Amino acid sequence: FDLTWAAFRGLWKFGPDAPHAIPDAPRIREALAHVGWRKVKLDRAAQTVFLTERGMLLGFGGIGQGFAVDRAVAVLRKYGLGRFIVDGGGDLYVAGEKAPGVPWSVGVQHPRDPDRLVAELTVREGAIVTSGDYQRFFELDGVRYHHIIDLRTGFPAREAVSTTIFSREATVADAWTKGLFVV
C-alpha cells in the first residue's frame, strides 16, 4: 500500500453522479510521476514528513476505514469489553464469541452477485476486510473501471475482482487487500 496514491485523487471519478470517462494519458502520466513511497522522507527526531516533489500528496483513504476500526476496538477494550463486532463500512473486527462456545460467522459477498456468499468464515478474534471492483466502479464500452488503481499503470487493477484478508489489525488487512488485489 502506497500513501502517495493521492496524486490520483479526483482524476478517476467513480461516484454515481460522476461523469464516466477515462482520464487522458498526459494527466495519468503526471499523476504517476508523483507516486512513490520512496519519495517520502521521514525525520523521526523532528517528527516531520517531507514530500520530495511538488505535486505529491498523501492519502489515507485506502486504509482509513481499517484505522478507524482499530481505534474503536482499542476504546472497547479500554472499557473492558471482550465480545463485540465493529463494522467500519465493511471492514470488520470481531472479538470473543457470539455466544458461549459459538464463534462469529462472517460472510464474504460474491463480487458479482450480492445475494450470494463466496465464503463463510468462522472467527473468534480478528479483522476481516474485503476490497473489490464491485462497489465503486463504472462500465464504459463493456470494460469495468473501478477505484483500486494500479500505481504502476495509473489504471484500475485487472488481476482480481475481490480480495479478503483476515488479520489481527484492520489497518493491516485494509492495506493488504489493496496490495494483493493489484498483484
Side-chain angles (χ1 to χ4, degrees), residues 16-90:
D17 299 327
H20 297 155
I22 299 168
D24 60 32
R27 291 184 68 203
I28 288 175
R29 281 193 302 274
E30 181 182 346
L32 283 171
H34 300 300
V35 168
W37 62 270
R38 287 183 175 92
K39 299 175 186 181
V40 178
K41 302 301 177 196
L42 302 176
D43 184 333
R44 291 184 191 269
Q47 295 184 334
T48 60
V49 177
F50 179 72
L51 304 178
T52 61
E53 296 178 6
R54 183 178 300 275
M56 287 183 71
L57 297 168
L58 296 180
F60 295 89
I63 59 172
Q65 286 177 243
F67 181 80
V69 166
D70 287 339
R71 298 297 68 78
V73 168
V75 169
L76 294 172
R77 294 246 187 257
K78 178 181 172 184
Y79 287 98
L81 278 82
R83 182 168 63 99
F84 55 83
I85 294 179
V86 175
D87 181 352

Side-chain angles (χ1 to χ4, degrees), residues 11-16 18-23 133-147 156 158:
L11 190 59
W12 287 91
K13 297 182 183 0
F14 299 102
H20 297 155
I22 299 168
D133 72 351
Y134 52 94
Q135 293 290 336
R136 295 178 56 210
F137 72 95
F138 65 84
E139 290 187 7
L140 189 63
D141 298 327
V143 177
R144 180 180 296 243
Y145 296 92
H146 58 84
H147 73 292
R158 295 279 172 229

Side-chain angles (χ1 to χ4, degrees), residues 95-162:
E97 296 177 318
K98 183 175 182 177
V102 180
W104 298 100
S105 179
V106 177
V108 179
Q109 178 182 323
H110 189 289
R112 296 295 182 259
D113 183 353
D115 296 326
R116 286 185 30 217
L117 299 177
V118 292
E120 197 167 331
L121 308 173
T122 302
V123 183
R124 285 188 166 83
E125 187 77 35
I128 304 98
V129 175
T130 298
S131 292
D133 72 351
Y134 52 94
Q135 293 290 336
R136 295 178 56 210
F137 72 95
F138 65 84
E139 290 187 7
L140 189 63
D141 298 327
V143 177
R144 180 180 296 243
Y145 296 92
H146 58 84
H147 73 292
I148 303 172
I149 304 299
D150 183 339
L151 297 178
R152 297 169 297 188
T153 66
F155 280 80
R158 295 279 172 229
E159 298 302 317
V161 295
S162 178

